[in-house]
C-alpha cells in the first residue's frame, strides 16, 4: 500500500484552501522522530473536532486517516491517546518515515460514528478536514479509511470539492451490512472522481469486510478513471480484531477489524 500511495502522491492536486481559526495545542512527547501535535478544528456547525497531526520535515503528501470501529480515538488535551491501537493511529510514524504527513480526527464529544459515516453531515466534516490539510502546505492530499472508516473515506471523496484530493485508499472496506447499518455502497461511491486504491487481505476473516468483495467495491467507482485493487496476504495477528501485514516489497500494510 505504501508503494502504491507513493505513486498516487505524484498525481496532481489542485490548490485548495479555506481559513480555519485553529486552536494549536502543545506538542506531544512521542517516540523519537515522531512530531505529534493536536489541533482543535472548529466545524461549520459550531462544534469542534480534535485532530492529531504528525509530519516529517518535508512531506511529499498529506494523508487524512479515518479510523475504524466507533471512530473514537480518545485524544486527550495532555496528548494521551486512549485508543491508540487502531491501524491508522499506531502506524502514523511509519507513514512519516516514508515522507507522508498524517491527520487523524477524533469524534466530537466521544460520539459513536457507527451508522453516521455515510451521512451528509459527516461528508461536510471530511471536507473541513481536507481544507485543514491544504492549510498545512501545498502537498497533495489523500483520504485513507480502514474498516468502518472506509465508509467515511468514500463519503468524503464522493462529496469533496473538485480537485481537493489526489486519491483515496480503502483498507478492509466494510461491504456487507452489519450493526452499523451502512457500507461503502451507502456512501455514493459512483460520485468519486479521484484515483482509488482498494486494499484487501486474502486472509481477512471479518464478516462485514470480506476480501473477495474488493473488486465489487472497485467496480462501484464508476466516476473514477483510475481504480486499482491491491490484494495482500499473510501477516501477524495482534489480537482477534487486528492483523498487521508485512511485505518486503511494500513496507507494511495494516488491516484492522472494527
Amino acid at each position: 500500500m505504501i508503494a502504491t500511495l507513493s505513486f498516487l502522491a505524484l498525481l496532481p492536486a489542485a490548490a485548495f484552501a479555506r481559513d480555519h481559526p485553529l486552536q494549536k495545542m502543545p506538542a506531544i512527547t512521542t517516540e523519537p522522530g515522531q512530531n505529534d501535535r493536536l489541533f482543535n478544528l472548529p466545524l461549520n456547525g459550531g462544534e469542534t473536532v480534535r485532530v492529531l497531526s504528525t509530519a516529517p520535515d518535508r512531506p511529499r503528501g498529506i494523508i487524512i486517516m479515518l479510523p475504524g470501529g466507533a471512530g473514537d480515538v480518545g485524544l486527550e488535551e495532555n496528548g494521551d491517546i486512549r485508543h491508540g491501537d487502531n491501524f491508522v493511529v499506531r502506524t502514523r510514524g511509519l507513514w512519516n518515515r516514508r515522507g507522508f504527513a498524517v491527520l487523524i480526527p477524533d469524534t466530537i464529544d466521544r460520539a459513536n460514528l457507527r451508522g453516521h459515516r455515510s451521512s451528509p453531515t459527516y461528508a461536510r466534516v471530511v471536507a473541513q478536514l481536507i481544507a485543514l490539510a491544504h492549510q498545512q502546505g501545498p502537498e497533495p492530499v489523500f483520504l485513507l479509511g480502514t474498516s468502518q472508516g472506509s465508509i467515511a473515506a468514500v463519503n468524503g471523496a464522493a462529496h469533496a470539492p473538485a480537485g481537493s484530493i489526489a486519491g483515496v485508499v480503502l483498507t478492509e472496506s466494510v461491504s456487507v451490512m452489519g450493526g452499523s447499518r451502512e457500507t461503502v455502497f451507502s456512501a455514493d461511491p459512483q460520485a468519486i472522481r479521484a484515483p482509488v486504491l482498494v486494499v484487501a487481505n486474502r486472509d481477512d476473516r471479518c464478516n462485514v469486510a470480506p476480501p473477495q468483495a474488493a473488486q465489487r467495491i472497485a467496480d462501484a467507482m464508476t466516476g473514477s478513471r483510475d481504480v486499482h485493487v491491491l490484494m495482500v496476504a499473510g501477516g501477524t495477528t495482534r489480537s482477534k480484531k487486528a492483523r498487521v501485514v508485512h511485505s518486503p516489497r511494500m513496507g507494511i500494510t495494516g488491516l484492522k477489524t472494527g
Side-chain angles (χ1 to χ4, degrees), residues 90 201 203 234-238 241-245 254-256:
R90 70 175 184 263
N201 184 349
D203 298 326
T236 302
T237 302
R238 291 177 50 148
K241 294 186 177 182
R243 176 181 293 276
V244 180
V245 178
L255 301 176
K256 180 181 173 78

Side-chain angles (χ1 to χ4, degrees), residues 117-130:
R117 287 178 169 98
S118 63
S119 68
T121 298
Y122 203 71
R124 290 191 289 271
V125 171
V126 177
Q128 291 184 261
L129 289 166
I130 294 170

Side-chain angles (χ1 to χ4, degrees), residues 5-6 9 54-56 59-63 95-96 98-102 142:
L5 256 183
S6 298
T54 178
R60 64 166 71 177
I62 302 173
I63 308 173
W95 296 97
N96 287 172
R98 286 161 177 81
F100 292 95
V102 172
F142 302 90

Side-chain angles (χ1 to χ4, degrees), residues 56-77:
D57 291 336
R58 296 180 180 178
R60 64 166 71 177
I62 302 173
I63 308 173
I64 298 171
M65 291 193 165
L66 301 163
D72 179 9
V73 178
L75 300 177
E76 304 288 358
E77 287 190 10

Side-chain angles (χ1 to χ4, degrees), residues 186-208:
S186 309
D188 299 327
Q190 73 284 351
I192 296 177
R193 299 290 183 266
V196 182
L197 175 65
V198 181
V199 183
N201 184 349
R202 292 186 179 91
D203 298 326
D204 197 338
R205 296 296 180 264
C206 179
N207 60 351
V208 296

